[in-house]
Every structure is written in structure tokens, then in C-alpha cells.
């Protein structure tokens, strides 16, 4: 199983060591809303919706944007 490298995806980032929970909730259509909870204040919602989210055991999270009908993100 290959692991994507940062920069090869629309958005891959390293999670902060203060992240305690990741909530991935269904939105309208085939969209997901992502909210990150941490020990440092209020939960932080990712702006906009995504089509898929991949969370890796090494602390990375990858967001896959929603594709429009014409293929644009």
C-alpha cells in the first residue's frame, strides 16, 4: 500500500500534537464536513466541504476536494 506524499494531493497536512478528536460528518450531497478538536481552545471547522478525508497513522490528514460536474475542484 503506497502512502501519498505531501504536495501530491490537493491538501495534505500534519496534525498538531494537541489534536484530540477529528469529527467527519455528512453534509449535503456527497460532501463531508471536518471539525478538528484540540486541547487548545474551541473546535476548528475546516472551511468548505470535501468529498473524502484520509487520516494516516503518522499524524497526517489528507483532504480530497469536491469535483464539480465539469471536473473542476
Amino acid at each position: 500500500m503506497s502512502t501519498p506524499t505531501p504536495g501530491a494531493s490537493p491538501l495534505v497536512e500534519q496534525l498538531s500534537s494537541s489534536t484530540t478528536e477529528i469529527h467527519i460528518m455528512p453534509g449535503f450531497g456527497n460532501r463531508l464536513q471536518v471539525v478538528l478538536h484540540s486541547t487548545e481552545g474551541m473546535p476548528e471547522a475546516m472551511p468548505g466541504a470535501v468529498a473524502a478525508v484520509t487520516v494516516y497513522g503518522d499524524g497526517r490528514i489528507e483532504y480530497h476536494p469536491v469535483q464539480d460536474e465539469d471536473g473542476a475542484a
Side-chain angles (χ1 to χ4, degrees):
M1 182 165 115
S2 67
T3 304
T5 56
S9 168
L11 179 59
V12 177
E13 63 184 35
Q14 188 70 34
L15 291 169
S16 164
S17 62
S18 67
T19 301
T20 58
E21 293 182 41
I22 301 168
H23 290 189
I24 302 170
M25 301 164 288
F28 294 104
N30 293 329
R31 295 176 171 159
L32 301 170
Q33 182 66 47
V34 179
V35 179
L36 302 175
H37 295 258
S38 76
T39 58
E40 300 174 358
M42 298 295 293
E44 187 176 325
M46 190 187 110
V50 295
V53 178
T54 306
V55 180
Y56 298 98
D58 63 0
R60 290 176 297 138
I61 187 167
E62 179 177 10
Y63 306 105
H64 305 272
V66 173
Q67 296 292 317
D68 290 337
E69 297 280 328
D70 62 1

